[in-house]
Amino acid sequence: MDEHTPVLLHEIIAGLNIRPTGTFVDLTFGRGGHAKEILKSLTSGHLFAFDRDITAIAAGQVLVANYPASLTLIHDNFTQAAIRLMELGIHQVDGIVMDLGVSSPQFDDYTRGFSYREDAPLDMRMDQRQRLTAEIIVNTADIATLSHIFREYGDEPQAFQIAKAIVKARTLGPITTTGQLVTIIKSVKPQKELKKKGHPAKQAFQALRIATNDEMVNLEQGLKVATSLLAPLGRLAVITFHSGEDRLVKNYFKSLTTTSGSRYGIEAMIKPEEPKFTLYNRQVILPTAQEIIDNHRASSAKLRIIQRK
Ligand SMILES: C[S@@+](CC[C@H](N)C(=O)[O-])C[C@H]1O[C@@H](n2cnc3c(N)ncnc32)[C@H](O)[C@@H]1O
């Protein structure tokens, strides 16, 4: 299967307020679900789309053939977006979308190692040029680092127990496959957890994927790059899929849309600088119940949008 159903599609298109002659950026192209819809709204406008996964860029060539004058695909980390766009003479854009996490094709191609459903090498790299794999983390990180990863990036209740079991298991030989890791995870899960709906390795696998791809650091940098690129009235729309990501986006948007807190001495006498951004939505935008029924991947999605004044 090589499909990806875009999440919160209508909300993204409405939120970006697309001007047909404008310049837009999709920082997470995937299988182009959001990109296709943006392209339909453009006349002489242009969409620049990034993905760090070469298979996404390769699959996107069909869309480039359909929209040769309005779509440019760039194989790079979105943290490099400002530099890559500058090279193309673009300094400001009218709208940006970030749809975080993995795409369905990445997950469905079990040889990539993202899935806990099939046995495959423990890879999990979005960018195949990267050296660090999930296997390296699992076989070299200490207990404290592993339990931090499982707790912080996966909200995994058995974070410490899984970390301890991994370190014990690797004294017998390296852990090289997703199947081995699933067995280790299941071995420390209490019966009531194993009986719950959803796969018992889901949270730990998500956490390991986030660590392998350094997703939180990339997100922090990516948000700064994206907001620096926005033209006046330009908007940035970000879809997150877990609590850590959403907290980061929420706090960053808050810092850009409010005047800084406590100020002392001479600072308190100077008029604070007006924020340069406003929140498009005060409340986070969530998928409808129907969208969650139609596309299970949408169930944890949260959308936040910010606008440059
Ligand atoms: C959820 S999918 C996007 C799906 C897309 N919106 C669609 O509708 O088809 C996320 C994509 O972002 C890419 N990605 C994640 N982090 C990235 C980063 N730091 N730089 C560039 N691409 C990234 C992944 O490789 C993946 O293809």
Side-chain angles (χ1 to χ4, degrees):
M1 191 169 97
D2 202 25
E3 293 285 316
H4 179 96
T5 311
V7 168
L8 290 161
L9 182 61
H10 304 298
E11 293 80 354
I12 284 279
I13 298 302
L16 281 181
N17 191 23
I18 299 172
R19 191 161 48 84
T21 55
T23 304
F24 294 84
V25 179
D26 182 348
L27 288 176
T28 50
F29 178 72
R31 283 304 181 272
H34 292 106
K36 265 178 228 157
E37 215 52 38
I38 295 171
L39 285 164
K40 281 185 203 161
S41 312
L42 299 180
T43 51
S44 59
H46 202 92
L47 175 68
F48 296 89
F50 289 79
D51 206 295
R52 71 205 283 205
D53 185 343
I54 192 67
T55 63
I57 299 297
Q61 296 310 318
V62 177
L63 202 57
V64 176
N66 288 338
Y67 292 93
S70 23
L71 174 62
T72 303
L73 289 185
I74 301 166
H75 178 216
D76 212 334
N77 194 310
F78 56 54
T79 57
Q80 303 307 306
I83 294 167
R84 297 301 301 265
L85 290 173
M86 210 190 295
E87 286 167 359
L88 299 170
I90 306 296
H91 300 274
Q92 283 197 327
V93 304
D94 301 299
I96 303 177
V97 57
M98 278 172 117
D99 173 21
L100 300 164
V102 274
S103 67
S104 304
Q106 285 170 329
F107 192 78
D108 293 338
D109 176 0
Y110 71 89
T111 64
R112 303 284 305 266
F114 292 110
S115 173
Y116 34 77
R117 298 198 192 283
E118 310 273 350
D119 197 18
L122 254 181
D123 188 315
M124 296 199 187
R125 288 171 301 170
M126 286 179 179
D127 186 339
Q128 297 86 342
R129 299 167 297 187
Q130 183 181 298
R131 280 196 55 215
L132 184 69
T133 61
E135 181 179 334
I136 296 178
I137 296 177
V138 163
N139 288 288
T140 59
D142 60 19
I143 292 191
T145 307
L146 287 170
S147 48
H148 174 84
I149 289 172
F150 295 130
R151 197 175 39 250
E152 293 300 312
Y153 304 155
D155 299 318
E156 169 54 62
Q158 277 78 44
F160 178 71
Q161 290 90 329
I162 294 173
K164 212 168 119 191
I166 287 174
V167 171
K168 189 173 166 213
R170 69 192 193 203
T171 59
L172 305 172
I175 302 160
T176 57
T177 69
T178 51
Q180 277 175 285
L181 186 59
V182 169
T183 307
I184 295 168
I185 294 167
K186 280 184 174 167
S187 74
V188 299
K189 287 265 167 189
Q191 275 305 315
K192 68 171 190 335
E193 289 268 335
L194 289 172
K195 282 188 191 136
K196 268 189 193 164
K197 220 172 134 235
H199 198 284
K202 187 176 175 193
Q203 284 156 284
F205 265 59
Q206 171 191 293
L208 199 51
R209 185 207 83 213
I210 291 172
T212 306
N213 297 290
D214 208 6
E215 290 177 39
M216 297 306 283
V217 172
N218 278 301
L219 175 57
E220 208 177 330
Q221 291 175 7
L223 288 171
K224 286 187 188 147
V225 167
T227 45
S228 76
L229 278 166
L230 286 180
L233 304 184
R235 291 183 187 169
L236 165 65
V238 187
I239 304 175
T240 61
F241 290 90
H242 72 94
S243 58
E245 272 177 353
D246 183 56
R247 208 174 313 123
L248 207 158
V249 175
K250 184 179 167 187
N251 289 339
Y252 183 61
F253 281 10
K254 193 172 166 205
S255 75
L256 291 180
T257 54
T258 47
T259 37
S260 51
S262 41
R263 292 144 41 85
Y264 302 99
I266 200 115
E267 250 197 25
M269 290 184 237
I270 305 165
K271 198 169 175 275
E273 214 185 309
E274 276 295 305
K276 294 187 174 62
F277 293 84
T278 49
L279 288 178
Y280 167 78
N281 55 313
R282 294 230 154 256
Q283 294 296 321
V284 69
I285 299 170
L286 301 173
T288 59
Q290 189 58 49
E291 179 171 5
I292 296 172
I293 293 169
D294 295 342
N295 180 12
H296 180 67
R297 226 181 64 80
S299 57
S300 54
K302 287 184 176 165
L303 169 62
R304 295 184 189 273
I305 304 174
I306 199 171
Q307 175 173 305
R308 186 182 278 276
K309 283 184 181 168

